[in-house]
Amino acid sequence: MTYVRLLRLFARLSALNDLAYRTHFVVQVFESLLGLIAALGGLALVYARTATLGGWRPAELLAVLGVFFLVSGTINLVIQPSMQRLMEDVWLGTLDFILTTPEDAQFLVSVQEVQLWKLVDVALGLALLGVAMLRLGAHLGFGQAVAFIIGLLAGGAIVYSFLLVLATCSFWTVRAPNILAIFQSMYEAGRWPISIYPPWLRATLTFVVPIGFAVTVPAGALVGHQGWQGIVGAVALAGALLVASRWFWTMGLRHYVGASA
Amino acid sequence: MKMLLDVYRAQFKAVLEEQFQYRVLMAIGLLWLVLQPVIYLAVWSAVARAHGGSVGGYTLAQFAAYFLAIMLANHLTFTWALVYWEGRVRRGLLSPLLLLPIHPIHHDIAATLMYKLMTLVVILPAAAGLVVAFRPALHPTPWMVVAFLSALLLATALRFLVEWTLGLLAFWVTRMSAVRQLYAVALLFLSGQVAPLSLFPLPVQTATVLLPFRWMVAFPVDVLLGHETAGQTLIGLAAQGTWLVLTLALLAIAWRAGLRRYAAVGL
């Protein structure tokens, strides 16, 4: 319960912060719409030449785009800025302030920074998913919806663990600040179902930078391209990565020397 | 002239040492540069395979050649101008550059050239790997290579000047990220990085002739692949030259006006 209260507190704090910069909201809406136009433009170009892309119909790819926006919106809303802040804190030694509180440090560093305006991307993703579902309406069952939500949660956990591991590297090297950008630039590949990529790239996007699990698997579950094996695999990987990243985080913490040392 | 050469030599050395400090950043920039054409190559290969191996006159091997050439052209014409101009104006990093008895554009030209030279170490092996992975069809005649190199040289100069001039907008706009994004999306589509321009609807194709984007990346690639006749190539080179002159004039005007404004902000 404390966690929920803390989460609300952090959200409120950053909301107060962000509400002072309202033009940022306009800029964010502009940038998100631009991203949407680019994404839809790409789809229009491709589907002007073909009816299905690697077995995916237009409405199904719209669902992929919806998940793509939803996941990136959520990551940029809280996880990415919090991890960026963690790396700065390690560098400056200000992580002391978090370590001296009685709450779990991993939880605090994961939610300490919220970029409120990124909710625009989340809303856009939900809207895209809505449109995709309306178009697919007839084929959508209850089982698929459940599989989709489980897949989405598992994908979120996988991406979170992955980013935590990347950020934890900063305990060993201060040169790391740009390391999170690796994920950002690889994430762009998630706009398209990863099944269309050549095997080496598909393997990278599944096991090295787990974008396939974050976007393609939940979207596939929603439109019925994904058997239960994919979802079970995603859940298993999510569990393993959560444990592994937790372990890595404790290891990193032991390396932390603090500002006063 | 002698002085300018000395300045460039000094700049090259400084940039070399500077860039080595940011190896990780460099590698990440390159990751995107290589990944993006691979993504669109995969997309269009999937489309072509679904239609008996070719779409819009492009076979699988021709798509591979196109996106490989796009990757190289994009790398050679790419600049950081839009990113660093924001910091220069907002945080006043321009001031020390203004104290030097030489136009800051020389610093940036030297930095850009050196960056490209250094990153070729990564780009060339990546290109070789993609040749093995995708087997592109590329059979240029010597004349096509000559035309390609001249078009590429003009494209590099044009894109550098366009992005540098656009960067000067930072004197007037404080949130450059919106400008950057708008430009990035326009460039992505209209310079042929998402798909060969001949796959676009006709009105868009007409627009690309009149806009500068095509002449900054797609044109040299089309010349290399033999998609332009001799006449079209000459017209294209002329279009590049025209845009170059126009941009240069705009740059001179914007630079003066911007400097006046910068002084006002600093006071």
Side-chain angles (χ1 to χ4, degrees):
Chain A
M1 224 56 255
T2 341
Y3 289 148
V4 178
R5 233 186 47 238
L6 278 170
L7 199 59
R8 267 225 307 272
L9 186 71
F10 279 120
R12 210 171 63 91
L13 255 175
S14 58
L16 284 175
N17 233 329
D18 282 350
L19 284 172
Y21 302 97
R22 262 162 254 195
T23 38
H24 288 196
F25 172 69
V26 180
V27 173
Q28 182 61 52
V29 169
F30 176 76
E31 288 179 6
S32 296
L33 285 181
L34 214 56
L36 179 70
I37 291 169
L40 293 181
L43 284 197
L45 260 183
V46 167
Y47 283 110
R49 300 273 164 186
T50 184
T52 65
L53 178 68
W56 296 68
R57 286 171 295 141
E60 294 168 344
L61 222 65
L62 221 49
V64 174
L65 265 187
V67 177
F68 177 84
F69 272 92
L70 185 64
V71 171
S72 74
T74 314
I75 292 170
N76 292 327
L77 180 71
V78 52
I79 299 174
Q80 204 269 347
S82 295
M83 291 300 150
Q84 202 72 51
R85 167 89 178 271
L86 163 64
M87 294 167 93
E88 282 165 30
D89 280 346
V90 171
W91 190 44
L92 297 172
T94 39
L95 190 66
D96 292 6
F97 298 130
I98 281 187
L99 296 180
T100 46
T101 61
E103 296 306 329
D104 181 57
Q106 187 192 336
F107 174 76
L108 287 181
V109 300
S110 305
V111 299
Q112 59 182 336
E113 194 95 19
V114 181
Q115 281 184 352
L116 191 66
W117 300 140
K118 292 292 173 191
L119 277 176
V120 175
D121 274 343
V122 175
L124 219 56
L126 288 175
L128 276 171
L129 273 173
V131 173
M133 277 198 275
L134 274 182
R135 290 223 190 157
L136 292 166
H139 318 281
L140 194 68
F142 176 73
Q144 278 161 300
V146 172
F148 168 66
I149 289 171
I150 294 175
L152 209 54
L153 290 176
I158 289 169
V159 173
Y160 163 73
S161 311
F162 182 75
L163 287 177
L164 179 67
V165 167
L166 282 189
T168 302
C169 290
S170 61
F171 283 113
W172 286 275
T173 164
V174 289
R175 283 279 179 74
N178 296 304
I179 211 169
L180 293 182
I182 295 181
F183 180 79
Q184 298 265 309
S185 79
M186 295 289 280
Y187 185 73
E188 287 292 314
R191 281 171 190 278
W192 307 93
I194 64 164
S195 54
I196 66 164
Y197 296 127
W200 54 272
L201 185 55
R202 206 183 317 148
T204 311
L205 292 174
T206 308
F207 299 112
V208 185
V209 188
I211 286 150
F213 281 111
V215 184
T216 312
V217 168
L222 184 68
V223 303
H225 275 219
Q226 187 76 58
W228 277 98
Q229 314 91 288
I231 298 295
V232 170
V235 171
L237 186 68
L241 275 179
L242 279 176
V243 173
S245 61
R246 173 83 188 176
W247 172 80
F248 192 61
W249 159 257
T250 0
M251 285 280 293
L253 217 47
R254 242 177 270 155
H255 260 262
Y256 179 69
V257 279
S260 47
Chain B
M1 198 60 212
K2 170 86 171 56
M3 186 193 135
L4 204 58
L5 278 181
D6 282 344
V7 166
Y8 268 83
R9 203 169 306 134
Q11 289 285 10
F12 281 146
K13 239 187 89 191
V15 170
L16 192 67
E17 279 159 18
E18 203 179 284
Q19 293 284 357
F20 260 108
Q21 296 288 312
Y22 299 104
R23 275 160 304 189
V24 179
L25 189 66
M26 208 162 81
I28 292 166
L30 289 175
L31 183 68
W32 180 230
L33 221 56
V34 175
L35 188 62
Q36 182 182 280
V38 171
I39 290 174
Y40 287 107
L41 173 55
V43 169
W44 287 109
S45 298
V47 176
R49 265 196 302 271
H51 292 263
S54 99
V55 104
Y58 279 85
T59 62
L60 283 171
Q62 281 169 331
F63 270 128
Y66 179 83
F67 283 106
L68 196 66
I70 278 284
M71 183 185 90
L72 290 174
N74 193 26
H75 170 252
L76 288 171
T77 55
F78 166 86
T79 80
W80 289 106
L82 280 170
V83 178
Y84 56 60
W85 263 110
E86 184 175 14
R88 274 184 184 170
V89 176
R90 265 227 311 227
R91 291 188 279 151
L93 300 177
L94 180 61
S95 303
L97 286 176
L98 287 179
L99 285 177
L100 301 173
I102 184 168
H103 198 297
I105 200 169
H106 294 298
H107 169 273
D108 293 354
I109 294 175
T112 309
L113 287 178
M114 201 63 210
Y115 176 80
K116 289 182 193 313
L117 215 63
M118 287 173 68
T119 45
L120 271 183
V121 181
V122 182
I123 286 289
L124 287 182
L130 293 182
V131 167
V132 175
F134 291 104
R135 311 192 169 282
L138 200 58
H139 315 285
T141 61
W143 273 118
M144 270 150 73
V145 174
V146 172
F148 163 69
L149 289 178
S150 3
L152 192 62
L153 202 67
L154 284 172
T156 309
L158 178 60
R159 183 160 169 192
F160 178 83
L161 289 178
V162 166
E163 294 188 355
W164 215 78
T165 311
L166 219 55
L168 294 181
L169 263 181
F171 285 118
W172 292 272
V173 182
T174 38
R175 294 279 294 184
M176 280 293 278
S177 74
V179 174
R180 213 159 53 215
Q181 205 123 343
L182 185 63
Y183 174 78
V185 169
L187 188 74
L188 186 68
F189 281 85
L190 301 177
S191 73
Q193 298 191 37
V194 167
L197 291 175
S198 60
L199 294 183
F200 280 73
L202 267 180
V204 180
Q205 286 191 42
T206 317
T208 61
V209 175
L210 301 172
L211 292 168
F213 304 104
R214 173 191 203 131
W215 311 115
M216 300 189 316
V217 185
F219 174 61
V221 172
D222 282 335
V223 169
L224 182 68
L225 296 182
H227 293 159
E228 308 272 1
T229 63
Q232 283 169 330
T233 306
L234 286 178
I235 292 172
L237 291 172
Q240 284 183 313
T242 314
W243 271 109
L244 213 56
V245 174
L246 275 177
T247 316
L248 213 52
L250 198 65
L251 188 152
I253 297 168
W255 173 247
R256 280 195 192 176
L259 267 195
R260 228 172 285 137
R261 211 176 136 85
Y262 181 68
V265 169
L267 274 174

